[in-house]
Amino acid sequence: MRILTSPEFEGRPSGGAKPHRSAYYITRQFEKYELDVQFQKFEFEYGFFDSATGHNVVATQHCKRTQCKPPLVITAHYDHLGQRGSRYYPGANDNASGVVVMIDIAKQLHNLDVARDIIYVATDAEEKGLHGAKAFVKQWGDRAIYMNVNLDMLDLQKKNTLYGLASRSLQPIKSDITATFNATPIKFRLFFSAKIMARRLNAPQIDWLRASDHYPFHRADIPFIYFGTGMDKHHHSVKDSFDEINFDKLTQVSNAITKFVRSQVLDNTSATN
């Protein structure tokens, strides 16, 4: 988190001809856990006339069994707003928090005998229109994906509440999702409707279904669950910084989500596929 939010990383801007230094840093972290890591290059358009190049970091923990189930894909966007003038935007909660939790999941599940591939995707150009996730889903094509777990803004604030928005098709495993938080002090609220989530969070102006990288998976009829903390008063400001993060709570969040992912990549997976 300290490195990803440092001035040297310039607010992790997207759209460069080459991968940003933050993408190389994330690659090195995944390589520590013996994952198969590749850059996924894509072109995207934003605004009326502008186009640019993006670079996802795709890291795979392979299932080594004779028969493997469809993969689980974990996403967290690493790009942020970059610099504007002399100021840079650290993007600690949005979304260095999701990236570091994703890396922590890879660390905790290292060497696990998984029954399906776990594909970690640090997406680029989310801030400009979810372009990294769109590119991944498009290039993946018609091959099956079991589930997308999307991590975006995981720093718990005073309310101490983590929210989940899931596909209605995941209602049969509702107890599996919520049970991972039972032994923690974290309050967890799970929704299967973006409209109900918006009302409960008193944020009617936000469409939580379209708000982050889970949306392209939803559009492709791939089941998803999005974990996030809802509104953040420092969102898209220079105050979204390392010093504002509660690392004790972030660790609790990471451990709980890891527990859920583990339950879905072993033999006792209870949902469809």
Side-chain angles (χ1 to χ4, degrees):
M1 175 73 77
R2 188 183 298 277
I3 293 172
L4 287 173
T5 59
S6 66
E8 289 74 18
F9 277 50
E10 310 162 316
R12 306 186 305 280
S14 61
K18 296 181 180 180
H20 187 261
R21 66 184 66 183
S22 54
Y24 287 106
Y25 175 77
I26 293 166
T27 296
R28 292 194 297 271
Q29 305 315 302
F30 282 137
E31 288 175 342
K32 290 180 181 179
Y33 310 114
E34 302 176 292
L35 303 183
D36 179 8
V37 190
Q38 300 177 352
F39 285 125
Q40 181 184 45
K41 183 179 179 180
F42 60 92
E43 305 299 320
F44 67 94
E45 297 181 356
Y46 64 97
F48 291 103
F49 306 107
D50 294 322
S51 62
T53 302
H55 303 86
N56 293 335
V57 181
V58 182
T60 305
Q61 180 173 344
H62 292 287
C63 168
K64 299 178 181 178
R65 303 183 183 186
T66 303
Q67 291 185 326
C68 296
K69 301 176 182 180
L72 184 148
V73 178
I74 302 175
T75 50
H77 76 91
Y78 71 90
D79 68 299
H80 194 53
L81 302 183
Q83 287 183 296
R84 295 179 181 177
S86 60
R87 300 192 302 174
Y88 84 99
Y89 292 76
N93 191 22
D94 184 19
N95 183 37
S97 65
V99 173
V100 299
V101 167
M102 182 166 62
I103 293 170
D104 188 48
I105 294 171
K107 177 182 178 180
Q108 293 193 54
L109 300 185
H110 179 222
N111 286 330
L112 185 69
D113 180 21
V114 293
R116 61 176 86 246
D117 287 357
I118 307 175
I119 304 175
Y120 302 90
V121 187
T123 59
D124 194 7
E126 188 269 356
E127 296 285 2
K128 290 178 174 160
L130 315 182
H131 293 293
K134 290 176 182 177
F136 178 85
V137 171
K138 181 179 180 180
Q139 291 185 30
W140 188 262
D142 295 330
R143 290 174 290 170
I145 292 177
Y146 168 63
M147 180 192 304
N148 166 235
V149 176
N150 184 38
L151 313 174
D152 195 350
M153 297 176 60
L154 298 177
D155 178 46
L156 295 183
Q157 302 296 323
K158 292 181 180 179
K159 291 184 178 180
N160 195 42
T161 303
L162 183 72
Y163 300 98
L165 175 65
S167 303
R168 287 185 172 87
S169 61
L170 295 183
Q171 286 180 329
I173 65 166
K174 178 179 179 180
S175 60
D176 292 345
I177 300 170
T178 56
T180 59
F181 296 91
N182 287 344
T184 72
I186 299 170
K187 297 178 183 177
F188 180 64
R189 299 289 181 267
L190 180 62
F191 301 94
F192 295 96
S193 165
K195 291 182 179 179
I196 294 176
M197 181 174 172
R199 288 201 299 268
R200 294 289 177 84
L201 271 65
N202 195 27
Q205 75 279 13
I206 298 179
D207 184 343
W208 295 102
L209 179 61
R210 293 171 171 81
S212 187
D213 281 333
H214 51 280
Y215 183 59
F217 291 88
H218 167 75
R219 290 274 305 208
D221 293 323
I222 297 167
F224 73 88
I225 177 167
Y226 152 62
F227 291 104
T229 52
M231 305 295 291
D232 183 345
K233 64 181 180 180
H234 298 315
H235 183 240
H236 285 187
S237 78
V238 295
K239 294 183 179 180
D240 181 11
S241 63
F242 176 88
D243 294 337
E244 294 292 329
I245 302 296
N246 186 318
F247 286 99
D248 288 338
K249 291 183 179 180
L250 189 63
T251 298
Q252 294 169 4
V253 169
S254 184
N255 289 340
I257 296 176
T258 300
K259 182 179 178 181
F260 169 68
V261 172
R262 181 191 295 269
S263 74
Q264 299 303 302
V265 299
L266 297 179
D267 290 321
N268 60 347
T269 299
S270 58
T272 57
N273 294 331

